[in-house]
Amino acid sequence: MRAGKPTPPVYPFCRQEWKIPAILLVLLFFATFAWGIHLVREHRDQLNMKIFGVLASDAKPQPPLAATGVAMSNPDINPVRVAVVNIAGVNKASADKPASYVSTGSGVIVNPKGFVVTAMHLIQDLAEIQVRVQTPMGPRQYPARMVKVVPEHDLALLKMVSQEIFPYLAIDNVSPLKVGDAVQAWGDPLGTESVQRIGSVEGVDLLEPVQVRDRSLTHLLRTNAVFHWAQNGGPLVNRENHLVGIVLAMEDPAGFIQGYAVPANVLVNHFQDVVTFARKSLTSPATPDPVVSQPPPVDRAPRLADQWWQKVRGLLNVGLGKHVVMTPEATPSPPAVARDPVHAQTVTLWGYTVSDFLGLLFLGFISGISGGMMTMGGGIIKVTGLMWFFGYGVVLVRPVAYITNIFMYGAAMLRYHRQGLLRFDFCKPLIPWAMVGMVGGYFIGNVMSKTAIQWMLGLFACLLGIKMLVEITESRRESGDEAEEPEGRPAHGFLAMLQRFFGTRTDDNSMPAAIRWRHPSVRHGLLGLPMGVISGILGITGGVIEVPLQRYIARMPLRNAIANSATLVFFASIVGTIVAMVHGVQSGSFETQTPLVMAMILTPGAFAGGMVGAWLTSVIPLNMLRWVYAVLMFVIAVRMFLP
């Protein structure tokens, strides 16, 4: 035997230490089985299974509303509770206040695809919007995007970025409320519990204005069902659990909360262009909507995870934004007047009221005139008009802008080609760069705040205004109106720099020669990528960037640079439309038909405006048109820079 370590003895299997591992395996098996039972119990509503004799369809119906009462919620099976959501988010940072996460109020789901109606003043100071929803698995939080706001009625429509199906409320906008009718106001302070009060209507169609921040609201309802700040933006429902108003909780000078509500017919009138509402039947007003009357998902009492969330929410620095606005000292008595005639119209065109339909046509017409006169700037008018006058959010504005750009600049490209101005061989290597920039710009714009996008729009409006002033200066010099500058003598200093980038003169000796690049791909990228990025972020054409780039880098004549820019916009917009529509629909940001219908309304007006704009250039002095255009651009810039 060799010297060294002794060989360890070998034992048969039955004598090895197998008992402890076997016991552990058995315990893990039973633990896995028990966990499976737990998961099945927790998800029985989604699986539609009967577990221990309990079915989701066994939910007891909600009893009729009593005359009075206050109740703190126990999230039981309630068709209203499951549609009430909490509005929260990150406050905009300022010099005296850092950004913080706050709960500002409530909202209500009005469509199964996750559209939420709330009060606009609740989201005005939020850089990021989050919606907290009660689900069978406990509270869940979704990011949300602003789809449309109506400042004159303090209303906002949000869309949760999700493809899930949500419980929602049908709207009763056909049965006029009367003084004394029983109603119930709901709110959700933190996304984990609700507050509610049963009361009655105290006033209808109030003509005395109610001040909400810097706006005066009229034709409101007044109710005593509101007692808590969290009911702000929440639903006001009738006996059949139909939505009849959006709550506004207002604080009087004595510190008491007064309850008002924006009537349901107002929000239907303003939001029916972007969301499909479930409404109460006109033929059987006492019968709940058949879609909403289906059993809602079971919302049980808080589980251990929910209780844990409630305990630690203070550690997450969740603040309470007490968005209660002041009311006048004197509370008006309910006048005996008819319903608001402005919002009583029922005629719609493609889901739009007649006024909104004509307004979109007119906006397309004005943007077309701008493009027809000055060959650029129509995109800024269109985008800012959709945001400023109609209140649409960037999530809808950009795909609409991409779609309309395809038609407008496709026609312009063909026109320039017939005129011999388009240099397609020059554009061919730039098109892929413009497409890449468009895709990148679209996703960059998705993470940018609305304020940042507004500031960028304001900046580009300023650039276009400056361009018009430079062209006016050039025309005056060429006509000899400026005695101090002899005709033909080039300008110097800052004016020369502006003329180099924004001017119209192609024979300017101060223009540099075409820049030679060692790698042509770098030159192509510099000529195509910036325009695509700007178009992707803002939805505008980017001509104010592309035309100067082509003139400075490639020494391209002005008319050819404009034609080439239109070509790049056309191809980039095709890619932008595909990406925006696919991503927007798949992420649940909007419904497919919404931007398509809006673009179909804008495009004919834009074509007509383009023809009128081209005609105006032949009958009105060009400098007069430039002055009007410059003033309009500066007005837009000021509006975009304002909060």
Side-chain angles (χ1 to χ4, degrees):
M1 182 179 292
R2 295 181 179 178
K5 291 185 178 181
T7 303
V10 178
Y11 298 103
F13 176 76
C14 60
R15 295 180 59 187
Q16 294 183 12
E17 294 294 332
W18 58 273
K19 295 181 180 180
I20 294 179
I23 292 173
L24 291 176
L25 287 174
V26 172
L27 291 177
L28 287 174
F29 171 80
F30 283 107
T32 304
F33 187 76
W35 180 248
I37 294 177
H38 168 72
L39 290 179
V40 172
R41 282 175 171 269
E42 293 295 325
H43 295 274
R44 62 176 178 265
D45 307 310
Q46 288 75 26
L47 297 174
N48 197 25
M49 296 175 61
K50 185 174 182 179
I51 307 298
F52 300 112
V54 178
L55 273 175
S57 59
D58 293 337
K60 296 180 180 180
Q62 177 73 6
L65 298 180
T68 58
V70 179
M72 294 298 293
S73 77
N74 177 10
D76 203 353
I77 304 169
N78 189 297
V80 179
R81 175 63 189 104
V82 294
V84 179
V85 299
N86 171 254
I87 306 297
V90 179
N91 261 335
K92 296 177 183 177
S94 60
D96 56 345
K97 182 177 65 174
S100 60
Y101 196 85
V102 296
S103 172
T104 61
S106 304
V108 57
I109 305 174
V110 296
N111 182 282
K113 295 185 179 180
F115 286 91
V116 176
V117 176
T118 186
M120 191 191 76
H121 72 268
L122 299 181
I123 65 169
Q124 276 184 291
D125 299 328
L126 295 182
E128 299 177 14
I129 304 174
Q130 300 288 335
V131 175
R132 294 169 175 169
V133 183
Q134 280 292 326
T135 72
M137 288 75 69
R140 186 172 177 184
Q141 184 165 283
Y142 297 86
R145 294 180 180 174
M146 189 269 289
V147 177
K148 187 177 181 180
V149 295
V150 186
E152 63 268 27
H153 295 291
D154 194 35
L155 289 173
L157 179 67
L158 310 177
K159 175 67 175 70
M160 288 184 279
V161 183
S162 171
Q163 286 188 305
E164 298 182 28
I165 302 299
F166 297 89
Y168 62 100
L169 291 186
I171 293 180
D172 183 358
N173 65 322
V174 297
S175 304
L177 287 173
K178 302 181 295 297
V179 174
D181 284 352
V183 290
Q184 188 174 22
W186 287 76
D188 189 341
L190 289 172
T192 55
E193 58 184 11
S194 68
V195 292
Q196 55 179 294
R197 169 180 274 176
I198 300 170
S200 61
V201 176
E202 295 183 318
V204 294
D205 293 329
L206 303 180
L207 297 181
E208 184 74 21
V210 176
Q211 195 72 19
V212 178
R213 288 200 171 184
D214 56 345
R215 301 178 182 90
S216 297
L217 308 185
T218 57
H219 295 289
L220 298 176
L221 304 172
R222 190 172 70 248
T223 174
N224 57 12
V226 180
F227 76 103
H228 196 279
W229 67 267
Q231 292 171 298
N232 236 323
L236 185 72
V237 299
N238 58 14
R239 288 181 178 274
E240 289 80 29
N241 288 333
H242 287 135
L243 181 66
V244 295
I246 298 299
V247 174
L248 297 175
M250 305 187 184
E251 193 174 80
D252 63 18
F256 296 101
I257 291 181
Q258 302 291 330
Y260 294 85
V262 182
N265 64 302
V266 176
L267 63 98
V268 170
N269 207 275
H270 286 287
F271 293 146
Q272 62 185 345
D273 55 337
V274 289
V275 63
T276 302
F277 291 99
R279 307 190 196 182
K280 181 176 179 178
S281 173
L282 283 168
T283 57
S284 56
T287 303
D289 188 275
V291 178
V292 183
S293 63
Q294 296 177 0
V298 177
D299 194 5
R300 298 181 300 276
R303 301 171 296 138
L304 290 177
D306 306 333
Q307 297 174 9
W308 173 84
W309 163 254
Q310 294 178 24
K311 291 180 181 179
V312 304
R313 64 175 179 256
L315 300 177
L316 298 177
N317 194 28
V318 177
L320 299 180
K322 188 181 178 183
H323 283 62
V324 181
V325 292
M326 297 296 295
T327 60
E329 293 188 16
T331 303
S333 58
V337 295
R339 296 192 66 170
D340 181 4
V342 177
H343 300 96
Q345 54 183 318
T346 57
V347 178
T348 60
L349 298 172
W350 293 353
Y352 292 79
T353 62
V354 175
S355 59
D356 285 348
F357 187 91
L358 296 177
L360 287 174
L361 274 177
F362 183 71
L363 176 62
F365 182 74
I366 295 299
S367 64
I369 288 179
S370 173
M373 290 191 308
M374 302 300 172
T375 69
M376 63 180 63
I380 286 185
I381 293 177
K382 176 174 55 186
V383 170
T384 55
L386 289 173
M387 296 174 61
W388 185 1
F389 291 105
F390 291 91
Y392 293 115
V394 179
V395 65
L396 272 181
V397 168
R398 291 193 300 162
V400 170
Y402 301 156
I403 296 171
T404 54
N405 285 343
I406 291 177
F407 294 99
M408 293 177 59
Y409 287 90
M413 181 182 67
L414 294 176
R415 183 173 66 252
Y416 291 136
H417 177 68
R418 288 195 299 266
Q419 295 173 353
L421 298 174
L422 175 60
R423 298 186 179 181
F424 194 75
D425 290 339
F426 173 83
C427 296
K428 192 181 300 182
L430 308 185
I431 291 174
W433 288 99
M435 290 179 172
V436 171
M438 172 67 80
V439 175
Y442 170 77
F443 287 103
I444 292 173
N446 280 346
V447 299
M448 292 178 62
S449 66
K450 179 184 175 183
T451 302
I453 291 178
Q454 283 185 338
W455 276 68
M456 288 187 67
L457 284 170
L459 174 62
F460 279 94
C462 273
L463 292 178
L464 285 173
I466 292 172
K467 174 178 171 57
M468 290 300 105
L469 296 181
V470 170
E471 291 183 8
I472 292 171
T473 303
E474 282 184 339
S475 65
R476 292 179 61 190
R477 292 182 63 252
E478 290 176 354
S479 62
D481 290 342
E482 292 185 358
E484 67 275 9
E485 289 286 349
E487 184 178 356
R489 181 179 175 182
H492 298 282
F494 183 68
L495 180 60
M497 184 184 67
L498 291 178
Q499 289 179 352
R500 179 182 303 174
F501 287 98
F502 299 110
T504 60
R505 296 172 59 186
T506 58
D507 58 345
D508 193 342
N509 295 327
S510 64
M511 286 287 294
I515 300 177
R516 304 295 179 184
W517 300 87
R518 186 173 183 180
H519 300 287
S521 58
V522 176
R523 179 173 180 264
H524 298 156
L526 288 176
L527 286 171
L529 193 65
M531 186 278 298
V533 172
I534 296 302
S535 297
I537 293 176
L538 303 178
I540 64 176
T541 60
V544 69
I545 293 293
E546 181 61 25
V547 172
L549 281 176
Q550 290 193 20
R551 296 196 67 205
Y552 185 79
I553 295 178
R555 192 77 188 276
M556 186 66 61
L558 176 65
R559 293 173 63 84
N560 298 102
I562 292 173
N564 297 339
S565 175
T567 303
L568 296 182
V569 171
F570 170 74
F571 285 100
S573 297
I574 293 176
V575 175
T577 298
I578 295 173
V579 172
M581 292 298 296
V582 172
H583 178 264
V585 173
Q586 288 189 348
S587 64
S589 298
F590 52 78
E591 295 178 295
T592 306
Q593 71 275 12
T594 304
L596 294 177
V597 173
M598 201 181 303
M600 288 175 63
I601 300 173
L602 284 167
T603 302
F607 273 118
M611 292 186 290
V612 172
W615 172 75
L616 287 176
T617 57
S618 62
V619 297
I620 298 179
L622 188 58
N623 271 358
M624 181 181 297
L625 295 176
R626 286 168 173 163
W627 274 112
V628 172
Y629 188 84
V631 171
L632 178 61
M633 287 297 107
F634 288 127
V635 168
I636 290 176
V638 172
R639 179 61 182 85
M640 290 294 104
F641 289 145
L642 292 176

